[in-house]
Each structure stands twice: as structure tokens, then as C-alpha cells.
Amino acid sequence: MMRGHRLSKFHMHQASSVLRSHTKLAATKISRPFCSNATPPSAEQPRRLPTLFAGAAGGLLGGLVGIGGGAVVVPLLTHFTRMTHHQAVGTSTAAVVMTGTAGCASFGTSGAVDIVAAVAIASTAMLAAGAGAKLTSRFSGVQLARVFAVFQLSVAPLVPLKSAL
């Protein structure tokens, strides 16, 4: 297995170039929804300071303990901004691209990335994420929030048991 291999400067440069090009592409398409059935934004724009705080909290906890930033970001966005639950999930999911790249750069340069495992996880997660995103359209915002709450309550007892499992 390829544990502990450091990412080369070439690979880091390539990842950085891809991120910059995708960021520019996303910025040019920001005025129209990504999906034809996307939830329309609320009349008021989300408050920026709580949005920045949600990103900082999600990134810090995600990098510190390895939890998905969405577990922190989605509740913060729905509670402190004017985003619907659908918008918060979509926004958090889109942000994963950038936060994942930053985390990969940091952990990769210190030799803490198992490339084979990362590719396996990413390939299956990409398939499942598409299915999950389509599935959210079957739920109202309240139902989606309840599904999210049940998930969080289900995994919460596993956190203190993580080292024993």
C-alpha cells in the first residue's frame, strides 16, 4: 500500500491550477443556478459574517478532527443566515472542493495522504454524492433538516468511541 507518500510539488501545482480554473468557471456561472430545479434563493441575501464564521468553524473542525465540514457548516448556515436547508447543503457541498484541496495540500506535503485510499473514496463518493443530491429534491426543507438531525444524532455516540472502534 502507498501509505505516507508525499505529494510532489508538480502534483500540488497541478491541483492548484485545476482549482483556479474551476473557481474562475464557477465565478462566471454564479448568476444562474447549477440545476434547472434548484431552490430559488431567498429574497434577501445571506448575511456574510455568519457565512464566514460557518466556513471557518467547518474548516477548523474538519482539519482538526477529520469530520466533514458539512456537519458543522450546514447547521450554522441554516441557523445564522437566511439560507434554506437545500441552499445550505448545496453551498457546503460546493465549498468542499476548495477545502478538500487545501486539506490535501497540507496533509499531502507532510506525507499523511494514502493516495490509493483517497482515489477509492473519491470515486465512490462522487457517484453517491450525485445520487444523494438528486434524492434531496424529494424532501421539503423541513424533512431534509430532520433527516440531517437524525443522521447527526446517530453518529454522535460514535465520536467518543472512535479510538476504540
Coordinates of all heavy atoms in Angstrom, one line a residue, residues 10-89:
F10 N 5.0 19.1 -8.2 CA 4.3 19.0 -9.5 C 2.8 18.7 -9.3 O 1.9 19.4 -9.8 CB 4.9 17.9 -10.4 CG 4.1 17.7 -11.7 CD1 4.1 18.6 -12.7 CD2 3.3 16.6 -11.8 CE1 3.4 18.4 -13.9 CE2 2.5 16.4 -13.0 CZ 2.6 17.3 -14.0
H11 N 2.5 17.7 -8.5 CA 1.1 17.4 -8.2 C 0.4 18.5 -7.5 O -0.8 18.8 -7.8 CB 1.0 16.1 -7.4 CG 1.4 14.9 -8.2 ND1 2.6 14.2 -8.0 CD2 0.7 14.2 -9.2 CE1 2.6 13.2 -8.8 NE2 1.5 13.2 -9.6
M12 N 1.1 19.2 -6.6 CA 0.4 20.3 -5.8 C 0.2 21.4 -6.8 O -0.9 22.1 -6.7 CB 1.4 20.8 -4.7 CG 1.6 19.7 -3.6 SD 0.0 19.1 -2.9 CE -0.6 20.6 -2.3
H13 N 1.1 21.7 -7.8 CA 0.9 22.7 -8.8 C -0.3 22.4 -9.7 O -1.1 23.2 -10.0 CB 2.2 22.9 -9.6 CG 2.0 24.0 -10.7 ND1 1.9 25.3 -10.4 CD2 1.9 23.8 -12.0 CE1 1.7 25.9 -11.5 NE2 1.7 25.1 -12.5
Q14 N -0.4 21.1 -10.1 CA -1.5 20.7 -10.9 C -2.8 20.9 -10.2 O -3.8 21.3 -10.8 CB -1.3 19.2 -11.3 CG -0.2 19.0 -12.3 CD -0.4 19.7 -13.6 OE1 0.2 20.7 -13.9 NE2 -1.2 19.1 -14.4
A15 N -2.9 20.5 -8.9 CA -4.1 20.6 -8.2 C -4.5 22.1 -8.0 O -5.7 22.4 -8.1 CB -4.0 20.0 -6.8
S16 N -3.5 22.9 -7.8 CA -3.7 24.3 -7.7 C -4.3 24.9 -9.0 O -5.2 25.7 -9.0 CB -2.5 25.0 -7.2 OG -2.6 26.4 -7.2
S17 N -3.7 24.5 -10.1 CA -4.2 25.0 -11.4 C -5.6 24.6 -11.7 O -6.4 25.4 -12.2 CB -3.2 24.5 -12.5 OG -2.0 25.0 -12.4
V18 N -5.9 23.4 -11.4 CA -7.3 22.9 -11.6 C -8.3 23.7 -10.7 O -9.3 24.1 -11.2 CB -7.4 21.4 -11.3 CG1 -8.8 20.9 -11.2 CG2 -6.6 20.6 -12.3
L19 N -7.9 23.9 -9.5 CA -8.8 24.6 -8.6 C -9.0 26.1 -9.1 O -10.1 26.6 -9.1 CB -8.2 24.7 -7.2 CG -9.0 25.5 -6.1 CD1 -10.4 24.9 -6.0 CD2 -8.2 25.5 -4.8
R20 N -7.9 26.7 -9.5 CA -8.1 28.1 -10.1 C -9.0 28.1 -11.3 O -9.8 29.0 -11.4 CB -6.7 28.7 -10.4 CG -5.9 29.2 -9.2 CD -4.8 30.1 -9.6 NE -3.8 29.4 -10.5 CZ -2.8 28.7 -10.1 NH1 -2.6 28.5 -8.8 NH2 -2.0 28.1 -11.0
S21 N -8.8 27.2 -12.2 CA -9.6 27.2 -13.4 C -11.1 26.9 -13.1 O -12.0 27.5 -13.6 CB -9.1 26.2 -14.4 OG -9.2 24.9 -14.0
H22 N -11.3 26.0 -12.1 CA -12.7 25.7 -11.7 C -13.3 26.9 -11.0 O -14.5 27.2 -11.1 CB -12.8 24.4 -10.9 CG -12.7 23.2 -11.7 ND1 -11.5 22.8 -12.3 CD2 -13.6 22.3 -12.0 CE1 -11.7 21.6 -12.9 NE2 -13.0 21.3 -12.8
T23 N -12.5 27.6 -10.2 CA -13.0 28.7 -9.5 C -13.4 29.8 -10.4 O -14.5 30.5 -10.3 CB -12.0 29.3 -8.5 OG1 -11.6 28.2 -7.6 CG2 -12.5 30.4 -7.7
K24 N -12.6 30.1 -11.5 CA -12.9 31.1 -12.5 C -14.2 30.7 -13.2 O -15.1 31.5 -13.5 CB -11.8 31.3 -13.5 CG -10.6 32.0 -12.9 CD -9.4 32.1 -13.9 CE -8.2 32.6 -13.2 NZ -7.1 32.6 -14.1
L25 N -14.3 29.4 -13.6 CA -15.5 28.9 -14.3 C -16.8 29.1 -13.4 O -17.8 29.6 -13.9 CB -15.3 27.4 -14.7 CG -16.5 26.8 -15.4 CD1 -16.8 27.5 -16.7 CD2 -16.2 25.3 -15.6
A26 N -16.7 28.7 -12.2 CA -17.8 28.9 -11.3 C -18.2 30.4 -11.1 O -19.4 30.7 -11.1 CB -17.5 28.3 -9.9
A27 N -17.2 31.2 -11.1 CA -17.5 32.7 -10.9 C -18.2 33.2 -12.1 O -19.1 34.1 -12.0 CB -16.2 33.4 -10.7
T28 N -17.9 32.7 -13.3 CA -18.6 33.2 -14.5 C -20.1 32.7 -14.6 O -20.9 33.3 -15.2 CB -17.9 32.8 -15.8 OG1 -17.8 31.4 -15.9 CG2 -16.5 33.4 -15.8
K29 N -20.3 31.6 -13.9 CA -21.7 31.0 -14.0 C -22.5 31.2 -12.7 O -23.5 30.7 -12.5 CB -21.6 29.5 -14.2 CG -21.0 29.1 -15.5 CD -21.0 27.6 -15.7 CE -20.5 27.3 -17.1 NZ -20.6 25.9 -17.4
I30 N -22.0 32.0 -11.8 CA -22.6 32.2 -10.5 C -24.0 32.9 -10.6 O -24.8 32.7 -9.7 CB -21.7 33.1 -9.6 CG1 -22.0 32.8 -8.1 CG2 -21.7 34.5 -9.9 CD1 -21.3 31.6 -7.5
S31 N -24.3 33.6 -11.6 CA -25.5 34.3 -11.7 C -26.7 33.4 -12.1 O -27.8 33.7 -11.9 CB -25.5 35.4 -12.8 OG -25.2 34.9 -14.0
R32 N -26.4 32.2 -12.6 CA -27.5 31.3 -12.9 C -27.4 30.0 -12.0 O -26.3 29.6 -11.6 CB -27.5 30.9 -14.4 CG -26.3 30.2 -14.8 CD -26.4 29.9 -16.3 NE -25.2 29.1 -16.7 CZ -24.4 29.4 -17.7 NH1 -24.8 30.4 -18.5 NH2 -23.4 28.7 -18.0
P33 N -28.5 29.3 -11.8 CA -28.5 28.2 -10.9 C -27.7 27.0 -11.6 O -27.7 26.9 -12.8 CB -29.9 27.8 -10.6 CG -30.7 28.5 -11.7 CD -29.9 29.7 -12.2
F34 N -27.1 26.1 -10.8 CA -26.4 25.0 -11.4 C -27.4 24.0 -11.9 O -27.1 23.3 -12.8 CB -25.6 24.3 -10.3 CG -24.4 25.1 -9.9 CD1 -24.3 25.7 -8.6 CD2 -23.3 25.3 -10.7 CE1 -23.2 26.4 -8.2 CE2 -22.2 26.0 -10.3 CZ -22.2 26.6 -9.1
C35 N -28.6 23.9 -11.3 CA -29.6 22.9 -11.8 C -30.8 23.6 -12.2 O -31.2 24.7 -11.6 CB -29.9 21.9 -10.6 SG -28.5 21.2 -9.9
S36 N -31.6 23.1 -13.1 CA -32.8 23.7 -13.5 C -33.9 23.7 -12.4 O -34.7 24.6 -12.4 CB -33.4 23.1 -14.8 OG -33.6 21.7 -14.5
N37 N -33.8 22.7 -11.5 CA -34.8 22.7 -10.5 C -34.2 23.1 -9.1 O -34.6 22.7 -8.1 CB -35.3 21.2 -10.3 CG -34.2 20.2 -10.0 OD1 -33.1 20.5 -10.0 ND2 -34.7 19.0 -9.7
A38 N -33.2 23.9 -9.2 CA -32.5 24.4 -8.0 C -33.5 25.3 -7.2 O -34.3 26.0 -7.7 CB -31.3 25.2 -8.3
T39 N -33.4 25.2 -5.8 CA -34.2 26.0 -5.0 C -33.8 27.5 -5.2 O -32.7 27.9 -5.1 CB -33.9 25.7 -3.5 OG1 -34.1 24.3 -3.3 CG2 -34.8 26.4 -2.6
P40 N -34.9 28.3 -5.5 CA -34.5 29.7 -5.8 C -34.0 30.4 -4.5 O -34.5 30.1 -3.4 CB -35.9 30.3 -6.2 CG -36.9 29.4 -5.7 CD -36.3 28.0 -5.6
P41 N -33.1 31.3 -4.6 CA -32.6 32.0 -3.4 C -33.6 32.8 -2.8 O -34.6 33.2 -3.4 CB -31.4 32.8 -4.0 CG -31.6 32.9 -5.4 CD -32.5 31.8 -5.8
S42 N -33.5 33.0 -1.5 CA -34.5 33.8 -0.8 C -34.3 35.3 -1.2 O -33.4 35.6 -1.9 CB -34.2 33.8 0.7 OG -32.9 34.2 1.0
A43 N -35.4 36.1 -0.9 CA -35.4 37.4 -1.4 C -34.2 38.2 -0.9 O -33.7 39.1 -1.5 CB -36.7 38.1 -1.0
E44 N -33.8 37.9 0.4 CA -32.6 38.5 1.0 C -31.4 37.7 0.8 O -31.5 36.5 0.9 CB -32.9 38.8 2.4 CG -34.1 39.8 2.6 CD -34.3 40.0 4.1 OE1 -33.3 40.3 4.8 OE2 -35.4 39.9 4.6
Q45 N -30.2 38.3 0.6 CA -29.0 37.5 0.6 C -28.6 37.1 1.9 O -28.9 37.7 2.9 CB -27.9 38.4 -0.1 CG -28.1 38.7 -1.5 CD -28.0 37.4 -2.4 OE1 -27.2 36.6 -2.2 NE2 -29.0 37.3 -3.3
P46 N -27.9 35.9 2.0 CA -27.4 35.5 3.3 C -26.5 36.5 4.0 O -25.8 37.2 3.2 CB -26.6 34.2 3.0 CG -27.1 33.8 1.7 CD -27.5 35.0 1.0
R47 N -26.5 36.6 5.3 CA -25.6 37.5 6.0 C -24.2 37.0 5.8 O -23.9 35.8 6.0 CB -26.0 37.7 7.4 CG -27.3 38.4 7.5 CD -27.8 38.5 9.0 NE -28.2 37.1 9.4 CZ -28.5 36.8 10.6 NH1 -28.4 37.8 11.6 NH2 -28.8 35.6 11.0
R48 N -23.2 37.9 5.5 CA -21.9 37.4 5.2 C -21.0 37.0 6.4 O -20.3 36.1 6.3 CB -21.1 38.6 4.4 CG -21.8 38.8 3.0 CD -21.7 37.6 2.1 NE -22.4 37.9 0.9 CZ -23.1 37.0 0.3 NH1 -23.2 35.7 0.7 NH2 -23.8 37.3 -0.8
L49 N -21.1 37.8 7.5 CA -20.3 37.5 8.6 C -20.6 36.1 9.2 O -19.7 35.3 9.4 CB -20.5 38.5 9.7 CG -19.5 38.4 10.9 CD1 -18.0 38.5 10.4 CD2 -19.8 39.6 11.9
P50 N -21.9 35.7 9.4 CA -22.1 34.3 9.8 C -21.7 33.3 8.8 O -21.3 32.2 9.2 CB -23.7 34.3 10.0 CG -24.1 35.7 10.2 CD -23.1 36.5 9.4
T51 N -21.8 33.6 7.5 CA -21.3 32.7 6.5 C -19.8 32.4 6.6 O -19.3 31.3 6.5 CB -21.7 33.2 5.1 OG1 -23.1 33.4 5.0 CG2 -21.3 32.2 4.0
L52 N -19.1 33.5 6.8 CA -17.6 33.4 7.0 C -17.3 32.6 8.3 O -16.4 31.8 8.3 CB -17.0 34.8 7.1 CG -17.0 35.6 5.8 CD1 -16.5 37.0 6.0 CD2 -16.2 34.9 4.7
F53 N -18.1 32.9 9.3 CA -17.9 32.1 10.6 C -18.1 30.6 10.4 O -17.4 29.8 10.9 CB -18.8 32.7 11.7 CG -18.8 31.8 12.9 CD1 -17.7 31.8 13.8 CD2 -19.9 31.0 13.2 CE1 -17.7 31.0 14.9 CE2 -19.9 30.2 14.3 CZ -18.8 30.2 15.2
A54 N -19.2 30.3 9.6 CA -19.5 28.9 9.4 C -18.4 28.2 8.6 O -18.0 27.1 8.9 CB -20.8 28.8 8.6
G55 N -17.8 28.9 7.6 CA -16.7 28.3 6.9 C -15.5 28.1 7.7 O -14.8 27.1 7.7
A56 N -15.2 29.1 8.6 CA -14.0 29.0 9.5 C -14.2 27.8 10.5 O -13.3 27.0 10.7 CB -13.8 30.3 10.2
A57 N -15.4 27.7 11.1 CA -15.6 26.7 12.0 C -15.6 25.3 11.3 O -15.0 24.4 11.9 CB -17.0 26.9 12.7
G58 N -16.2 25.2 10.2 CA -16.2 23.9 9.4 C -14.8 23.5 9.0 O -14.4 22.4 9.1
G59 N -14.0 24.5 8.5 CA -12.6 24.2 8.1 C -11.8 23.8 9.3 O -11.0 22.9 9.2
L60 N -11.9 24.5 10.4 CA -11.1 24.3 11.6 C -11.4 22.9 12.1 O -10.5 22.1 12.3 CB -11.3 25.3 12.6 CG -10.5 25.1 13.9 CD1 -9.0 25.3 13.7 CD2 -11.0 26.1 15.0
L61 N -12.7 22.6 12.3 CA -13.0 21.3 12.9 C -12.8 20.2 11.9 O -12.4 19.1 12.3 CB -14.5 21.3 13.3 CG -14.7 22.1 14.6 CD1 -16.2 22.3 14.9 CD2 -14.1 21.5 15.8
G62 N -13.0 20.4 10.6 CA -12.7 19.4 9.6 C -11.3 19.0 9.6 O -10.9 17.9 9.5
G63 N -10.4 20.0 9.6 CA -9.0 19.8 9.6 C -8.5 19.2 10.9 O -7.5 18.4 10.9
L64 N -9.1 19.6 12.0 CA -8.6 19.2 13.3 C -9.0 17.7 13.6 O -8.2 16.9 14.0 CB -9.2 20.1 14.4 CG -8.8 19.8 15.8 CD1 -7.3 20.1 16.0 CD2 -9.6 20.7 16.8
V65 N -10.3 17.4 13.4 CA -10.7 16.0 13.8 C -11.2 15.2 12.6 O -11.6 14.1 12.8 CB -11.8 16.1 14.9 CG1 -11.3 16.7 16.2 CG2 -13.0 16.9 14.4
G66 N -11.1 15.7 11.4 CA -11.5 14.9 10.3 C -13.0 14.7 10.0 O -13.3 13.9 9.2
I67 N -13.8 15.5 10.6 CA -15.2 15.4 10.3 C -15.5 16.2 9.0 O -14.8 17.1 8.7 CB -16.1 16.0 11.5 CG1 -15.8 17.5 11.7 CG2 -16.0 15.2 12.7 CD1 -16.8 18.2 12.6
G68 N -16.6 15.8 8.4 CA -17.0 16.6 7.2 C -17.4 17.9 7.6 O -18.1 18.1 8.6
G69 N -16.9 19.0 6.9 CA -17.3 20.3 7.3 C -18.8 20.6 7.2 O -19.3 21.4 8.0
G70 N -19.5 19.8 6.4 CA -20.9 20.0 6.3 C -21.6 19.7 7.6 O -22.7 20.3 7.9
A71 N -21.1 18.9 8.5 CA -21.7 18.5 9.8 C -21.7 19.8 10.6 O -22.5 19.9 11.5 CB -20.9 17.4 10.5
V72 N -20.8 20.7 10.4 CA -20.8 22.0 11.1 C -21.4 23.1 10.3 O -22.2 23.9 10.8 CB -19.3 22.3 11.5 CG1 -19.2 23.6 12.2 CG2 -18.7 21.2 12.4
V73 N -21.0 23.2 9.1 CA -21.4 24.3 8.2 C -22.9 24.4 8.0 O -23.5 25.4 8.1 CB -20.6 24.3 6.9 CG1 -21.1 25.3 5.9 CG2 -19.1 24.4 7.1
V74 N -23.5 23.2 7.6 CA -24.9 23.3 7.3 C -25.8 23.8 8.4 O -26.6 24.7 8.2 CB -25.4 21.9 6.8 CG1 -27.0 21.8 6.7 CG2 -24.8 21.6 5.4
P75 N -25.7 23.3 9.7 CA -26.5 23.9 10.7 C -26.2 25.3 11.0 O -27.1 26.1 11.3 CB -26.1 23.0 12.0 CG -25.5 21.8 11.4 CD -24.9 22.1 10.1
L76 N -24.9 25.7 10.9 CA -24.6 27.2 11.1 C -25.2 28.0 10.0 O -25.8 29.1 10.3 CB -23.1 27.4 11.1 CG -22.4 26.8 12.3 CD1 -20.9 26.9 12.2 CD2 -22.9 27.5 13.6
L77 N -25.2 27.6 8.7 CA -25.8 28.4 7.6 C -27.3 28.5 7.8 O -27.9 29.5 7.5 CB -25.4 27.8 6.3 CG -23.9 27.9 5.9 CD1 -23.7 27.2 4.5 CD2 -23.5 29.4 5.7
T78 N -27.9 27.4 8.1 CA -29.4 27.4 8.2 C -29.8 28.2 9.5 O -30.9 28.9 9.4 CB -30.0 26.0 8.3 OG1 -29.5 25.3 9.4 CG2 -29.8 25.3 7.0
H79 N -29.0 28.2 10.5 CA -29.4 29.0 11.7 C -29.1 30.4 11.7 O -29.9 31.3 12.1 CB -28.8 28.3 13.0 CG -29.2 28.9 14.3 ND1 -30.5 28.6 14.8 CD2 -28.6 29.7 15.1 CE1 -30.6 29.3 15.9 NE2 -29.5 30.0 16.1
F80 N -27.9 30.8 11.2 CA -27.4 32.2 11.3 C -27.6 33.0 10.0 O -27.2 34.2 10.0 CB -26.0 32.2 11.8 CG -25.9 31.8 13.2 CD1 -25.3 30.6 13.5 CD2 -26.3 32.5 14.3 CE1 -25.1 30.1 14.8 CE2 -26.2 32.1 15.6 CZ -25.6 30.9 15.9
T81 N -27.9 32.3 8.9 CA -28.1 33.1 7.6 C -29.5 32.9 7.2 O -30.3 32.2 7.8 CB -27.1 32.6 6.5 OG1 -27.5 31.3 6.1 CG2 -25.7 32.6 7.0
R82 N -29.8 33.4 6.1 CA -31.2 33.3 5.5 C -31.2 32.2 4.5 O -32.1 32.1 3.6 CB -31.6 34.6 4.9 CG -31.8 35.7 6.0 CD -32.1 37.0 5.4 NE -32.3 38.0 6.5 CZ -31.4 38.8 7.0 NH1 -30.2 38.7 6.5 NH2 -31.6 39.6 7.9
M83 N -30.3 31.2 4.5 CA -30.3 30.1 3.5 C -31.4 29.1 3.9 O -31.5 28.8 5.1 CB -29.0 29.4 3.5 CG -27.9 30.2 2.8 SD -26.4 29.2 2.6 CE -25.3 30.5 2.0
T84 N -32.0 28.5 2.9 CA -32.8 27.3 3.2 C -31.9 26.1 3.4 O -30.7 26.2 3.2 CB -33.7 27.0 1.9 OG1 -32.9 26.6 0.9 CG2 -34.6 28.2 1.5
H85 N -32.5 25.0 3.9 CA -31.7 23.9 4.1 C -31.1 23.3 2.8 O -29.9 22.9 2.8 CB -32.5 22.8 4.8 CG -31.6 21.8 5.5 ND1 -31.1 22.0 6.8 CD2 -31.2 20.6 5.2 CE1 -30.4 21.0 7.1 NE2 -30.4 20.1 6.2
H86 N -31.9 23.4 1.7 CA -31.3 23.0 0.4 C -30.1 23.8 0.0 O -29.1 23.3 -0.5 CB -32.4 23.0 -0.6 CG -33.5 21.9 -0.5 ND1 -34.6 22.1 0.2 CD2 -33.5 20.7 -1.0 CE1 -35.3 21.0 0.2 NE2 -34.7 20.1 -0.6
Q87 N -30.3 25.1 0.2 CA -29.2 26.0 -0.2 C -27.9 25.8 0.7 O -26.8 25.8 0.2 CB -29.6 27.5 0.0 CG -30.6 27.9 -1.1 CD -31.2 29.3 -0.7 OE1 -31.5 29.6 0.4 NE2 -31.4 30.1 -1.8
A88 N -28.1 25.6 2.0 CA -27.0 25.3 2.9 C -26.3 24.0 2.5 O -25.0 24.0 2.4 CB -27.5 25.2 4.3
V89 N -27.0 23.0 2.2 CA -26.4 21.7 1.7 C -25.6 21.9 0.4 O -24.5 21.5 0.3 CB -27.4 20.6 1.6 CG1 -26.8 19.4 1.0 CG2 -28.0 20.2 3.0

